[in-house]
């Protein structure tokens, strides 16, 4: 099928905006999506207290699904997170405690309320946990009923498994079971919610096809899968990472200012792609923005940062973050959204060596990196360069508001608050 020839609005949007990579049977799926409500799911493992922007492609796919009149199912992997998905991984995941899993599930739930409407309506989203059924499975019964539907020969040829084996990296039997459990999730969701479609990243293709076939073989139910391309930035880096670590979606793990700033600092070549994937701006407007050149492209980046932050956090958060950026970067001031770190007043009274303070508040990763920053002229206190690493920062450096602004280069700033 060529562009704009799907009957389904949802498939047209996925294709136009860059979400689509693979599809199991486009004609059959297009017919399903254009003739009624299709329940569809994406699974999210509970390996951290928040999702980061690397999951944002899938979250936006669920958002567009609902906006096109279909029903999103968010599957939390409370059960499969106990096992670990080998897809795209070089080594086994660390085992999580039950307390860790519960805390992670609670944090992840917060993400989705910003993007998707939950409720009891036909197209309202539901959130479920695969631990509800996986934890009750009787192992021998499960092997007898579903084991015959999986070929080890075929599973060995899945990309996620082949990569580990080719690199002679260990792949445990526990992880090998993951793809069977994921396939069973699709079967169970079909039985419980009439789920007909699974979506996910392209590294999940093999696992997802297993689920499609299990639905057909066991319940004679038609099912479909769609994958999105694995997203990297223009310089080849994996989406979701920054110099300071993961770019978390929850505001208790990353400040609004730092989140907004991540998008403001994307490379010029990524602006159009990210506007299509992570905002709902019209495509003709995006085309105009990505065609800007020179310093004008920075205005497009501000729009990108604002639109993404509105969705992930709130409109007020986006406005405050932009105001903070303007005061910090354009007026050499301090905005309200800058990250604040408390430091002992007693320590400041006696004086703290600049390189130690820069490292301890997290502006740099180590004392040696702080020394290099200072020697290169990139460290500032209240917008004044730190001249040597023996310089002490004391209460005398407090500004009129009773705080100290530390800067590492032009983009990283922290407010020190004496306590």
């Amino acid at each position: 099928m060529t562009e704009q020839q799907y009957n389904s609005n949802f498939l047209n949007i996925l294709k136009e905006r860059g979400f689509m990579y693979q599809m199991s049977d486009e004609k059959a799926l297009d017919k399903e999506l254009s003739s009624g409500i299709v329940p569809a799911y994406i699974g999210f493992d509970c390996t951290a207290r928040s999702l980061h922007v690397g999951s944002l492609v899938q979250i936006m796919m669920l958002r567009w699904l609902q906006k096109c009149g279909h029903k999103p199912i968010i599957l939390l992997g409370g059960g499969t997170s106990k096992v670990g998905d080998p897809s795209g991984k070089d080594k086994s995941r660390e085992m999580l405690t039950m307390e860790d899993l519960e805390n992670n599930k609670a944090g992840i739930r917060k993400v989705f309320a910003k993007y998707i409407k939950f409720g009891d309506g036909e197209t309202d989203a539901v959130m479920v946990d695969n631990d509800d059924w996986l934890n009750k499975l009787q192992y021998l019964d499960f092997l007898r009923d579903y084991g015959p539907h999986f070929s080890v020969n075929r599973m060995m040829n899945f990309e996620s498994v082949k990569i580990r084996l080719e690199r002679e990296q260990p792949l445990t039997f526990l992880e090998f079971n993951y793809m069977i459990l994921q396939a069973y999730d699709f079967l169970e969701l079909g039985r419980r919610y009439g789920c007909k479609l699974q979506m996910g990243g392209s590294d999940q293709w093999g696992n997802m096809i297993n689920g499609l076939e299990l639905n057909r073989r066991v319940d004679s139910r038609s099912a479909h899968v769609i994958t999105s391309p694995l997203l990297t930035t223009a310089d080849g880096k994996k989406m979701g990472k920054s110099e300071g670590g993961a770019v978390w979606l929850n505001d208790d793990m990353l400040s609004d200012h730092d989140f907004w700033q991540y998008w403001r600092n994307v490379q010029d070549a990524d602006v159009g792609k990210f506007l299509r994937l992570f905002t709902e701006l019209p495509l003709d407007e995006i085309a105009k923005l990505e065609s800007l050149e020179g310093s004008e492209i920075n205005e497009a980046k501000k729009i990108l940062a604002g639109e993404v932050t509105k969705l992930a956090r709130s409109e007020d958060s986006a406005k405050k973050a932009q105001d903070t950026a303007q005061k910090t970067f354009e007026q050499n001031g301090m905005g309200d959204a800058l990250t604040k770190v408390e430091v002992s007043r007693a320590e400041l009274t006696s004086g703290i060596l600049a390189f130690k303070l820069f490292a301890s508040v997290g502006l740099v990763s180590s004392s040696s990196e702080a020394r290099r920053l200072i020697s290169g002229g990139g460290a500032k206190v209240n917008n004044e360069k730190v001249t040597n690493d023996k310089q002490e920062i004391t209460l005398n450096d407090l500004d009129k508001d009773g705080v100290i602004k530390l800067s590492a280069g032009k983009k990283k700033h922290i407010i020190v608050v004496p306590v």
Side-chain angles (χ1 to χ4, degrees), residues 270-402:
D270 286 326
V271 172
K273 176 171 67 174
F274 289 174
L275 282 167
R276 280 186 285 274
L277 290 172
F278 304 128
T279 80
E280 294 173 341
L281 293 177
L283 293 175
D284 56 352
E285 184 177 343
I286 292 173
K288 292 177 184 177
L289 290 170
E290 69 176 327
S291 68
L292 297 174
E293 297 179 351
S295 61
E296 289 185 342
I297 195 69
N298 290 327
E299 295 306 311
K301 293 180 183 181
K302 291 177 185 178
I303 291 171
L304 170 67
E307 292 296 317
V308 179
T309 306
K310 280 181 194 176
L311 288 173
R313 304 296 174 83
S314 69
E315 188 166 356
D316 185 54
S317 294
K319 185 178 184 306
K320 286 181 178 177
Q322 182 158 356
D323 289 345
T324 292
Q326 184 174 358
K327 289 178 183 177
T328 304
F329 304 118
E330 297 174 19
Q331 301 171 10
N332 283 329
M334 288 188 289
D336 295 335
L338 282 182
T339 301
K340 296 177 176 61
V341 176
E342 295 181 346
V343 175
S344 163
R345 182 176 289 272
E347 286 187 84
L348 287 169
T349 299
S350 58
I352 306 174
L353 291 173
F355 77 89
K356 289 186 176 180
L357 184 59
F358 272 73
S360 67
V361 300
L363 271 173
V364 291
S365 60
S366 65
S367 294
S368 58
E369 187 180 339
R371 284 193 168 103
R372 287 194 296 271
L373 178 72
I374 293 169
S375 64
K380 292 183 179 180
V381 175
N382 297 331
N383 302 315
E384 297 292 332
K385 280 187 180 181
V386 178
T387 55
N388 65 80
D389 59 14
K390 297 293 194 300
Q391 182 175 327
E392 289 190 339
I393 299 174
T394 71
L395 289 176
N396 293 329
D397 292 302
L398 296 179
D399 69 0
K400 59 184 177 59
D401 297 316

Side-chain angles (χ1 to χ4, degrees), residues 1-7 11-12 15-16 26 30:
M1 289 188 177
T2 58
E3 188 171 337
Q4 287 296 317
Q5 290 187 356
Y6 291 117
N7 293 314
L11 291 184
N12 282 324
K15 190 168 186 180
E16 292 166 351
E26 63 177 356
D30 188 32

